[in-house]
Amino acid sequence: MSGNKRNATSAGMMANLISKQARQNENSASHHVSRKPSNPFLAHPVDPEEALRIFLMTARTTARKNIPKGTPMPITKPFCEIEARLGILKPSFGAREMRVFPSGPKTINRNGRSVIANAFDCTPKPNLPRCNFEGGITKNNFVNWTIAGLSEASPLSSAFGLKTNGVNDSSILRNSLVEKDMVETVYSGYAENNRVCFSGEHDSGRSNPNRRGKMENKSKLCTMDIGLPSSPYDLRLGLATERILDDKVIEPPRGWTSKRLKRRRSYVRKDGSFKWQLDVTEVTTTDMNGKTTIEYEIEMELDPNSTLKLVNENDNQKANALCEGLAKQLWYMISQLNPLSDVLDVEEFLQDHPNQAAVNLALAQCGALKKFMDSRRNGGQAMFQSAITTNGKSPTPSANLMNIKFPGCMPVNFSRHNIEEVQRSGDTGGYFLSEKTDGVRYFMVFTGDTVVLVDRAMKGKQPKFKGSEDPMASVIALINAGTVLDGEVVMHRKLRRPIFIVFDVLCISDNGPVLQYPFAQRLKCLRQAGFRTKSADRDMFAESAVKDRNIPLPLVRKNFVKRIELDNLLSHVVEEKGLRTYKNGDLHNHLTDGIIFQPNLPYVCGTDTNLLKWKYLDTVTIDVQIMPPGYGRGPIDADEDALTVAVTGEDGSMVEMSRFIHLPKSELRRLEADRNETNANIAEVGLEPSTGEWYYLTMRPDKIAPNHISTVIGTLLELAECLGTEELRYRMSVPSNSRDTYRKDIRKMQKQLLDHQRKSNKELLKRK
C-alpha cells in the first residue's frame, strides 16, 4: 500500500507529487544499468535562467529582422509577442507517447565530475530528434495553483513575489495585483495557421451581424524548448507575430476543424515591478464530430512596453542587461508555479554496514525483543535474553533470531469512527499525537562497538563518513550496548543533511527491554535518556550536534503532544511549493505527510490495530498493474490516451480498474517516461477528492504485484470519508467534559454560506 515507506532498494510523495517520483527515478538511474539507448538530450544541460536570457536575446535579434516593412525605428506599436508556456515535451523516439525525460534530476559528467542537472535544452538541432510540445496542465494543478485568484495566497500570488500574513491575504493581493477576465471563441484549422476569433461565446450558424470577429494569422518566429525533469512540466518559449487579415468577420468561413472556447484570467502587478503577465485559461475544445474536451493552460507573456523596449534597444550591452533582469523575473515565476524538486534522498547518505558480525548482532537483538514480546502475548513469562552483552564478548547469535521479518510496529488507517474513540480515551493518558514524519524507517541498534541501522528489509546500514573512526562515534560512548531505538532517517530541509528522529525506545541496555511498558513510560525514558551510560558526560540529543557537520547522523527526539493540543502541533506544518514541512525550532525542519495517534499501550511487533495513522488526502494512493493492450474491457470509449490497469483479486485473479482510473495526458506522458526507464509495470496513482481527477506519483520497480482489491476499496473509502485537517483540529481540541458540536456547527456555517451566495446573486442581478 502506498502509505508504506520504501525499502532500501527503492525511493521514499509528493509530496507530494514531485519529490517521491524524483527520488524513485534518481535511484533507478543511479543503480539500474539500462540497455536502452542514451537520451541524446542529456548532452545539453543548461542553467535555466541563463537559457531564458539567451532566448530573449535571440528573440530580440529575430524580432528586429522581422519588423514590418516601412516601420521606422523606434517602434511604437507592438507587432510581436514573447511568451512562455507550461506543458510536456514529447520526443520522436520511444515505443509509446512519453515525456522526453523520466522524472527527477539527472546526474551528468562535467569536466570529469558527476554533477546534478535539472534543465536541458531540447530545441531542435542538427543530428538531434525533434520534440513535440503538448501544452497544458492538469485540473489538479490548475485548481491548486490558480483557482484562489486574489482571495488567498497561492502559487499564483507567490509567482509575483507577494508575501502574505495569513490574516488579510485578500486585501494584500487586491492591492498588489490586477485581475482581468476574458472570454473568447476561436475557430482554428484553417490553412496557413489562420484562425477566426470572436469576443465572448459564439455559436457558428447563429451569428449576430452587429457582432464582428476577426481573421488573424499567428506565425512563430523562433522557439526554445527546455526540459525540466525535476518539475511537473517542461517549458516552451516562443516569439510570434499576429496579423489581422480581416476584422469584419460575421460568420466563420468553412474550413475550421475545431472550436476553442477560452475562459481566461490575466494577472499583472499594479506597480509594474514585474514585466510579465500571467494568464490562466480553461479551454473547452469541440471538434467537428461534437466531441468536447477541457484543458487548462498557464502562460507568461512579456508586457508590450517591455517588448518594445527590448526590440528598440540598439546597444547590445544594455539589451543583455535588460534580458538578464527579465530572465530572472521569468524564472522566479516559473519556479513558484512549476517548482523543481529539491528533496534529497536520505539513502544517498547511507551505506551498507561493513561489519557483518555487528549486523548479525543487531538483527539478533531485534529477534530477541520480538521473541520476548511473543512470549508475553501468549501468556508466558520468559526472561529477555539479549543477543548483545556489555562486556564486548557477545556470543555468535542464533540464526533463528536473525531470520525474521522486520518487527517494527505498523499503524492502521485512521477513520472518522476513530475520532470518538480517541476523544473517549481522555485528554492526557489515552493517546499521544505527533506529526507523521516522511522519512525512511530504521531501528537503531547499539552493539557496544558500533551502531547498526536495521531497515525494513532487515539489512544493516550506517551513515557515510569520510573519517577513519566509526560514523556514530560521537554517541557510542553515551548509550548503553543493547539499546534499540525506533525512528526514521529524514532530511533536515534547512541544513540539507540527514538526522535520525527517535519516536520510541524498545530496549535501554543488554538486560533492559522496555517495549512491554505503556507508551507514556517509554516516552519518559526517551525524554530522560534512560539508556545513557554511567560515564556519559554530555547530551546525545544536543542541538549543537544537528549543526555539527562532523556528526553524520545526529539524534533528535520526536515531539508528542496531548490529544487536545493537535491544533498547535499542526500550526507548525508549513506548505511550500506542494511540500508539507514540519518546522519547530532549529531541530525540526523535515517533510511530513500526516498524523500518528500513538496509544498508551505496550509496543506491538507487527500491525497494531490501536496505532492509527491519518494521511493528507492528496497523499493517499494505490498501486495498480499496467496490463497489456487488449486486456479485458479496456478504458472507457477506447480512449487511446488511457491505460489498461488492474489490481489483485481473490485467488490470484486480476480486477480491471480501467473504467474508473483515468490519467490526464500530461500525467500519462510522465508515467510512460518513468516506465520506459525502470521497466516496471506497477504504478502508484492517487485521486484528488476536490477535483475528482487521478494523478500519477511514481513507478514501483520494487513491487511485483499491485494492491489487493480489499486494500483499494479501503483506500477509496478513506477518500470518500474526506476527513480533512480542519475537522481533525476542531474535534481533537474538544475537552473530555465538553460536547463535540462539529456536525451542528458545520451545518450552521454551510447554511450561512448558502445565504451569503443568495445575497451575492441578488446584488449581481440588481447591478445588471
Side-chain angles (χ1 to χ4, degrees):
M1 178 61 186
S2 58
N4 296 338
K5 295 289 186 294
R6 299 281 187 266
N7 62 27
T9 61
S10 61
M13 141 187 165
M14 191 176 98
N16 64 42
L17 286 174
I18 307 169
S19 60
K20 194 172 186 178
Q21 65 192 61
R23 293 197 296 260
Q24 179 80 55
N25 287 285
E26 187 174 355
N27 277 354
S28 175
S30 300
H31 304 296
H32 172 68
V33 179
S34 176
R35 297 181 181 178
K36 298 180 176 61
S38 175
N39 189 321
F41 296 106
L42 288 173
H44 301 276
V46 293
D47 175 87
E49 194 172 305
E50 173 64 10
L52 297 183
R53 183 199 65 79
I54 292 173
F55 172 77
L56 290 172
M57 286 293 289
T58 302
R60 166 182 171 267
T61 302
T62 304
R64 289 169 69 91
K65 292 179 180 179
N66 287 272
I67 295 174
K69 292 182 179 180
T71 304
M73 294 287 283
I75 301 170
T76 58
K77 184 178 180 181
F79 69 95
C80 62
E81 60 183 31
I82 297 174
E83 64 180 14
R85 301 170 59 202
L86 296 182
I88 296 293
L89 288 170
K90 301 187 302 179
S92 55
F93 56 83
R96 296 175 289 268
E97 293 273 306
M98 66 182 190
R99 192 180 185 183
V100 63
F101 292 111
S103 306
K106 307 304 171 195
T107 302
I108 62 170
N109 187 288
R110 179 175 292 168
N111 300 325
R113 295 175 55 247
S114 292
V115 296
I116 298 297
N118 290 301
F120 298 84
D121 185 359
C122 299
T123 308
K125 296 179 179 66
N127 302 320
L128 271 182
R130 185 177 184 85
C131 280
N132 294 318
F133 183 76
E134 199 168 70
I137 65 174
T138 66
K139 183 179 181 180
N140 285 338
N141 291 146
F142 184 81
V143 170
N144 293 329
W145 293 354
T146 71
I147 202 66
L150 303 183
S151 62
E152 62 183 9
S154 68
L156 184 149
S157 58
S158 297
F160 287 98
L162 296 178
K163 305 296 183 182
T164 55
N165 54 21
V167 179
N168 55 343
D169 290 2
S170 179
S171 176
I172 293 174
L173 299 183
R174 293 184 185 280
N175 289 332
S176 303
L177 297 178
V178 177
E179 179 185 66
K180 293 182 179 180
D181 291 312
M182 185 273 287
V183 178
E184 182 183 42
T185 303
V186 179
Y187 295 88
S188 58
Y190 294 105
E192 299 179 352
N193 291 324
N194 292 343
R195 61 187 187 182
V196 175
C197 305
F198 287 89
S199 177
E201 296 188 35
H202 182 273
D203 289 327
S204 177
R206 300 180 181 179
S207 298
N208 183 345
N210 297 320
R211 183 183 175 194
R212 304 297 176 93
K214 58 184 179 181
M215 171 77 78
E216 64 182 24
N217 176 268
K218 186 171 183 177
S219 300
K220 297 178 182 178
L221 298 181
C222 66
T223 61
M224 174 181 278
D225 292 332
I226 301 178
L228 301 170
S230 297
S231 299
Y233 302 100
D234 302 312
L235 183 66
R236 168 162 284 186
L237 307 166
L239 169 70
T241 60
E242 288 187 0
R243 293 184 299 117
I244 297 178
L245 307 177
D246 183 358
D247 61 357
K248 298 180 180 179
V249 177
I250 297 176
E251 178 70 20
R254 293 182 179 180
W256 61 273
T257 58
S258 67
K259 182 178 81 170
R260 289 161 54 90
L261 177 61
K262 298 182 177 182
R263 295 182 174 89
R264 173 174 294 166
R265 284 177 288 123
S266 299
Y267 299 89
V268 295
R269 281 286 297 250
K270 278 186 178 180
D271 59 10
S273 57
F274 270 65
K275 306 304 180 183
W276 296 88
Q277 172 179 296
L278 178 62
D279 296 333
V280 296
T281 311
E282 178 188 285
V283 183
T284 303
T285 302
T286 305
D287 63 18
M288 297 299 293
N289 297 320
K291 183 179 179 180
T292 299
T293 58
I294 300 178
E295 297 176 328
Y296 306 89
E297 299 177 349
I298 288 185
E299 300 175 349
M300 286 134 285
E301 183 177 335
L302 187 61
D303 72 60
N305 290 334
S306 296
T307 302
L308 287 175
K309 182 178 179 180
L310 180 61
V311 175
N312 286 325
E313 181 56 65
N314 293 315
D315 188 305
N316 285 339
Q317 189 171 355
K318 291 181 179 179
N320 186 66
L322 177 59
C323 288
E324 284 183 356
L326 294 174
K328 185 175 183 179
Q329 277 193 354
L330 179 57
W331 180 244
Y332 177 84
M333 296 180 77
I334 293 169
S335 64
Q336 299 301 309
L337 294 165
N338 187 46
L340 295 172
S341 172
D342 64 346
V343 178
L344 298 176
D345 182 9
V346 298
E347 293 176 12
E348 291 185 1
F349 295 84
L350 303 177
Q351 62 185 5
D352 291 337
H353 202 292
N355 188 337
Q356 189 57 47
V359 172
N360 291 342
L361 282 176
L363 298 181
Q365 186 74 342
C366 296
L369 289 169
K370 185 178 186 304
K371 181 179 179 181
F372 172 68
M373 290 303 291
D374 287 346
S375 172
R376 293 180 63 87
R377 187 179 68 246
N378 296 327
Q381 297 295 325
M383 298 292 291
F384 173 67
Q385 296 182 348
S386 176
I388 299 173
T389 61
T390 56
N391 59 14
K393 299 180 180 180
S394 301
T396 301
S398 165
N400 292 333
L401 290 179
M402 294 186 292
N403 297 329
I404 62 170
K405 293 182 179 180
F406 184 71
C409 59
M410 300 296 175
V412 298
N413 290 340
F414 186 96
S415 299
R416 186 170 274 110
H417 72 267
N418 294 120
I419 293 178
E420 287 81 6
E421 173 189 341
V422 175
Q423 287 175 332
R424 288 194 299 268
S425 69
D427 297 341
T428 56
Y431 272 86
F432 296 83
L433 276 57
S434 69
E435 53 82 25
K436 184 177 178 296
T437 305
D438 190 9
V440 182
R441 177 83 171 274
Y442 287 96
F443 278 173
M444 179 176 280
V445 184
F446 291 78
T447 67
D449 298 323
T450 187
V451 176
V452 179
L453 294 171
V454 178
D455 66 15
R456 291 178 57 172
M458 297 302 284
K459 303 295 184 183
K461 303 282 185 177
Q462 70 171 187
K464 292 180 179 178
F465 190 60
K466 295 182 179 179
S468 58
E469 61 182 355
D470 191 280
M472 301 297 293
S474 62
V475 294
I476 289 177
L478 307 180
I479 297 177
N480 291 323
T483 295
V484 180
L485 307 177
D486 195 354
E488 289 187 279
V489 179
V490 66
M491 294 303 302
H492 193 290
R493 290 181 56 74
K494 181 179 180 180
L495 300 177
R496 313 291 289 175
R497 60 162 310 173
I499 59 175
F500 186 78
I501 295 186
V502 185
F503 55 70
D504 212 333
V505 183
L506 309 190
C507 194
I508 60 173
S509 67
D510 61 346
N511 62 354
V514 295
L515 71 174
Q516 72 274 26
Y517 299 125
F519 180 74
Q521 196 166 337
R522 305 199 305 273
L523 180 59
K524 181 179 179 181
C525 179
L526 173 60
R527 289 172 173 171
Q528 296 180 352
F531 35 79
R532 67 188 300 119
T533 61
K534 294 180 180 180
S535 60
D537 56 357
R538 61 185 185 278
D539 182 9
M540 69 282 294
F541 293 102
E543 184 174 319
S544 58
V546 175
K547 301 176 182 179
D548 188 347
R549 293 288 176 174
N550 293 317
I551 299 178
L553 191 64
L555 306 184
V556 175
R557 297 184 184 93
K558 192 162 195 174
N559 290 329
F560 288 89
V561 301
K562 301 175 184 178
R563 187 261 299 177
I564 57 176
E565 296 173 346
L566 175 63
D567 184 50
N568 179 60
L569 175 73
L570 291 184
S571 68
H572 294 283
V573 176
V574 179
E575 187 165 353
E576 300 171 318
K577 297 184 179 181
L579 301 174
R580 295 182 182 91
T581 305
Y582 176 70
K583 297 182 179 181
N584 194 341
D586 293 331
L587 292 178
H588 294 272
N589 192 318
H590 55 262
L591 294 180
T592 179
D593 60 359
I595 304 167
I596 291 292
F597 295 79
Q598 171 70 53
N600 189 25
L601 297 171
Y603 193 92
V604 174
C605 295
T607 301
D608 184 353
T609 56
N610 294 300
L611 178 64
L612 307 172
K613 67 172 181 181
W614 174 89
K615 296 188 68 177
Y616 294 98
L617 294 176
D618 57 8
T619 67
V620 178
T621 56
I622 60 174
D623 298 328
V624 299
Q625 182 168 332
I626 301 172
M627 308 304 290
Y631 178 89
R633 299 176 64 182
I636 299 176
D637 299 329
D639 189 345
E640 62 180 13
D641 283 316
L643 286 177
T644 301
V645 297
V647 297
T648 304
E650 297 300 323
D651 301 322
S653 63
M654 300 299 290
V655 180
E656 189 185 344
M657 301 290 290
S658 308
R659 298 179 65 82
F660 309 102
I661 300 174
H662 191 280
L663 293 173
K665 283 185 179 181
S666 59
E667 298 291 276
L668 187 60
R669 306 299 183 239
R670 294 195 298 113
L671 180 152
E672 291 291 10
D674 294 350
R675 180 185 177 193
N676 183 69
E677 174 72 15
T678 62
N679 289 321
N681 68 347
I682 305 296
E684 189 173 344
V685 298
L687 177 69
E688 172 56 61
S690 63
T691 63
E693 185 177 69
W694 287 88
Y695 60 87
Y696 161 69
L697 194 60
T698 186
M699 297 303 294
R700 297 293 303 270
D702 59 307
K703 296 197 68 174
I704 60 174
N707 287 143
H708 190 271
I709 185 63
S710 61
T711 301
V712 174
I713 292 174
T715 300
L716 295 178
L717 287 174
E718 186 177 351
L719 290 169
E721 275 198 335
C722 208
L723 179 57
T725 54
E726 290 78 11
E727 180 176 354
L728 273 179
R729 295 173 80 160
Y730 182 105
R731 301 186 70 182
M732 287 297 108
S733 64
V734 177
S736 297
N737 57 355
S738 300
R739 293 184 61 187
D740 181 354
T741 60
Y742 176 79
R743 296 179 181 87
K744 182 185 74 173
D745 292 342
I746 201 70
R747 285 195 298 268
K748 180 180 178 181
M749 298 190 74
Q750 286 174 335
K751 185 178 183 301
Q752 292 174 348
L753 183 63
L754 178 58
D755 290 340
H756 170 74
Q757 181 63 28
R758 287 168 176 165
K759 292 179 181 178
S760 298
N761 289 342
K762 288 181 180 179
E763 293 176 359
L764 184 62
L765 289 173
K766 287 180 181 179
R767 288 197 295 268
K768 289 184 177 181

